[in-house]
Amino acid sequence: MAAPAVHYGEATRQPLYCLAFLFPLVGAYEFGAMLLRPRTFPERLLLAPSFIQEALAWFGAVGPLVPGLALLATLTAWHMMSRHNWQLRVWMVLLMFAERSALSVPLVV
């Protein structure tokens, strides 16, 4: 049975497509953060991840990978609760990456 037609604008708002788009980015960020984590001056951390880690520590979730895993777990739970189809159109994810690349050019320039 064929999946119903989903427009690009609708698909990019669904948690499964957000998860497929963000998973490699979160992985790259966590890997880079692990390599660049300051050892000599541990107080020199990025503020946003530090604030998220402190907020999650209130719930007992402690660790350097917790913010990224919390994001991925939230998107997965959201998709499971919405009961959408697990079928992923790869071309839409590739189009999302192309859109991200095109829109980031002015930031780099």
Side-chain angles (χ1 to χ4, degrees):
M1 182 173 173
V6 178
H7 296 288
Y8 175 75
E10 293 175 27
T12 57
R13 291 180 185 90
Q14 291 180 1
L16 182 63
Y17 285 95
C18 294
L19 181 65
F21 177 74
L22 289 176
F23 186 77
L25 297 176
V26 170
Y29 170 79
E30 293 295 343
F31 180 72
M34 186 172 50
L35 289 178
L36 299 175
R37 190 162 284 125
R39 288 166 179 64
T40 55
F41 300 105
E43 67 276 356
R44 295 179 64 191
L45 295 173
L46 294 172
L47 291 179
S50 298
F51 291 153
I52 294 171
Q53 285 176 344
E54 288 177 19
L56 292 172
W58 284 52
F59 299 102
V62 181
L65 300 177
V66 171
L69 292 176
L71 172 66
L72 298 177
T74 301
L75 287 172
T76 303
W78 178 16
H79 184 73
M80 291 173 69
M81 296 296 243
S82 66
R83 298 178 188 242
H84 284 128
N85 190 353
W86 283 89
Q87 185 178 13
L88 189 68
R89 291 181 178 88
V90 178
W91 68 268
M92 282 196 190
V93 178
L94 295 175
L95 189 58
M96 290 170 73
F97 276 104
E99 179 184 20
R100 178 210 53 179
S101 300
L103 292 174
S104 65
V105 168
L107 294 173
V108 174
V109 172

